[in-house]
Amino acid sequence: MRIPSNGIETLGELAEIFNLPVDLISDSNRDEFIQGAVPRGTINIPGYTLLPGRHINWESVKIAIGQQLDALKTNSSIGRFLQEREFIPWKITSPCILGRMAYSSVILERDLEILKEAYPFITLTEIGKSVLGNPIKEVKIGRGKKKLHFNASFHANEWITSGILMDLMNAYLLALTNNYLICGIGAMSVYNTVELSVVPMVNPDGVNLVLEGPMKSQENRLMNINHDNRDFSGWKANINGVDLNNQFPANWEIEKKRKEPKSPAPRDYPGNRPLSEPEALAMAKLVENGNFDMVFAFHTQGEEFYWGYNGKEPEESLKIASILSSCSGYKAVRTIDSHAGFKDWFIQEYNRPGFTIELGKGINPLPLSQFDKIYDNVRGLFFSALTL
């Protein structure tokens, strides 16, 4: 929420009134600070929203945010603002978004804006565009030196991974503004130790195709690739018919030679060259610039994860894999006969831990009836990764 800042001398005053860490208020207004001074006019308060409150009284405000409000009451600017508009500042204590739905790129864009409004300390960046011009967004949370990256929906019919990852991110944001513990560690300690990077949907065009069918302008071409089948539920590729997780320069030539599709296909076609597709190229550039210590790619299905590649993974990967397995119940698999994946390339190029997490079990696309079970399993994995 935004409230008047007149009469507020320090961020510490606001932190005390709203029971929030100073760092979150500071980062929520990072673009408006001038040499650390409280910005004049209005200021963002993260983790709160303004609700209509007819016949507002200070006792109702006190109940709403659970604080003694003497300082707020005596601040004439804020007091007048609330009373004139009959608004109550309300602490957000439950998720702002719901990932348990057919999660298209339109829903993702809406939910990212909702989270940015509620938690303005996050940063949203467009790291590239898909073939059809849909934005590929990265979310960053935290100010730590340790850099972790999570992504989802490399494959179109694995769209459930985007909703899962968004819900996990929302849970982390709630923990930060409500002073919760994460794996026994204060959430703000994690925030100041870790910079979290999240790309919730690598393949927006493909996801939209699976969920909504082809656009008129693309219908003839896509029907041809899909063997004249109007059912696109089995489509894994991007809109060009290229499998984005077979696009990375980690023995790409092996996959190119042995993959059955030799031209655009609903799945498994690795393209004519590595990183030929804008979505894969955007992810490669993100990694090259991001200096990530670890990466995690959410896929479906199998209730297992892969943590090695050609013996190039660091020694610490085995220990991390054991921790992630114990907190998720997922089987840790060192390696499989596969190349050219995002995780493979990261391990090969940077000799750092990388993980492909296969959520759930069944036939893709997994049904939403599995959502809660998947979320419960990977919640521990996600938060454990943040506290490693």
Side-chain angles (χ1 to χ4, degrees):
M1 69 177 183
R2 289 190 73 89
I3 60 172
S5 60
N6 297 336
I8 298 293
E9 297 299 326
T10 68
L11 294 182
E13 294 177 47
L14 290 171
E16 184 175 352
I17 291 170
F18 293 104
N19 192 26
L20 286 169
V22 170
D23 287 347
L24 293 186
I25 301 177
S26 174
D27 289 352
S28 294
N29 298 277
R30 60 170 66 88
D31 296 332
E32 301 174 51
F33 282 138
I34 301 175
Q35 296 181 341
V38 175
R40 293 306 169 201
T42 60
I43 190 168
N44 283 314
I45 305 296
Y48 281 83
T49 188
L50 288 171
L51 296 181
R54 292 189 64 185
H55 312 301
I56 186 173
N57 62 75
W58 287 108
E59 189 60 28
S60 65
V61 175
K62 176 181 174 181
I63 293 170
I65 72 172
Q67 293 297 305
Q68 297 293 333
L69 295 179
D70 290 342
L72 194 56
K73 288 167 66 175
T74 56
N75 184 297
S76 58
S77 296
I78 298 176
R80 217 169 29 247
F81 172 81
L82 294 174
Q83 288 184 320
E84 287 177 359
R85 292 162 178 78
E86 296 189 338
F87 282 145
I88 295 176
W90 194 267
K91 182 95 173 198
I92 300 171
T93 57
S94 58
C96 298
I97 61 171
L98 178 65
R100 196 182 191 276
M101 63 175 64
Y103 211 80
S104 69
S105 71
V106 173
I107 292 172
L108 172 65
E109 286 296 310
R110 178 201 68 188
D111 285 355
L112 287 174
E113 290 304 315
I114 290 171
L115 290 181
K116 178 65 174 175
E117 178 74 19
Y119 305 101
F121 53 85
I122 72 175
T123 59
L124 283 178
T125 305
E126 184 177 304
I127 64 167
K129 290 186 183 295
S130 68
V131 173
L132 296 180
N134 284 307
I136 303 169
K137 295 285 183 69
E138 179 199 27
V139 185
K140 277 188 179 180
I141 307 170
R143 46 165 66 182
K145 292 183 178 179
K146 186 174 183 179
K147 299 179 185 297
L148 302 187
H149 170 76
F150 281 79
N151 63 61
S153 289
F154 255 95
H155 288 146
N157 65 348
E158 299 173 7
W159 50 263
I160 197 172
T161 59
S162 291
I164 292 284
L165 187 50
M166 287 291 285
D167 274 8
L168 290 169
M169 187 167 61
N170 196 171
Y172 178 38
L173 295 169
L174 274 170
L176 290 169
T177 54
N178 287 278
N179 301 312
Y180 296 157
L181 295 178
I182 295 175
C183 299
I185 299 172
M188 279 306 299
S189 177
V190 177
Y191 184 87
N192 286 310
T193 304
V194 174
E195 181 183 80
L196 173 64
S197 159
V198 176
V199 175
M201 189 176 290
V202 176
N203 185 7
D205 298 349
V207 167
N208 293 344
L209 174 64
V210 170
L211 291 175
E212 301 167 0
M215 300 166 54
K216 274 293 181 185
S217 61
Q218 301 285 325
E219 187 171 12
N220 290 339
R221 182 178 66 87
L222 293 173
M223 284 290 291
N224 183 55
I225 295 174
N226 206 38
H227 313 296
D228 292 325
N229 186 353
R230 291 193 171 276
D231 180 5
F232 287 87
S233 62
W235 190 283
K236 291 177 66 177
N238 75 343
I239 208 73
N240 280 341
V242 176
D243 188 323
L244 296 177
N245 206 39
N246 277 320
Q247 268 273 286
F248 291 85
N251 289 309
W252 175 87
E253 296 79 8
I254 294 176
E255 294 299 296
K256 176 66 173 176
K257 182 177 180 179
R258 68 181 179 180
K259 288 296 186 185
E260 185 174 333
K262 302 304 179 186
S263 61
R267 56 177 295 157
D268 298 335
Y269 175 58
N272 290 321
R273 66 180 189 279
L275 304 180
S276 65
E277 303 307 296
E279 300 93 343
L281 185 59
M283 293 302 295
K285 288 182 176 179
L286 175 69
V287 169
E288 289 165 359
N289 295 326
N291 193 29
F292 299 127
D293 295 289
M294 279 188 281
V295 301
F296 301 81
F298 279 6
H299 288 258
T300 59
Q301 49 77 39
E303 294 186 352
E304 60 187 15
F305 60 87
Y306 314 125
W307 56 272
Y309 181 66
N310 271 7
K312 296 183 178 181
E313 65 279 357
E315 290 184 8
E316 64 183 302
S317 293
L318 174 59
K319 180 180 178 181
I320 295 170
S322 178
I323 293 171
L324 299 181
S325 180
S326 66
C327 66
S328 65
Y330 281 16
K331 180 182 178 182
V333 179
R334 182 169 187 171
T335 189
I336 57 174
D337 185 18
S338 179
H339 303 279
F342 173 78
K343 175 268 296 178
D344 307 331
W345 170 74
F346 179 79
I347 292 174
Q348 172 185 279
E349 293 300 311
Y350 298 96
N351 191 227
R352 295 174 183 174
F355 303 87
T356 298
I357 317 294
E358 299 285 356
L359 310 185
K361 215 166 204 179
I363 299 173
N364 291 331
L366 294 180
L368 285 172
S369 59
Q370 285 202 28
F371 190 97
D372 294 343
K373 181 177 185 292
I374 293 171
Y375 180 85
D376 289 342
N377 284 342
V378 298
R379 179 185 171 93
L381 182 151
F382 177 78
F383 284 123
S384 291
L386 290 177
T387 57
L388 287 171

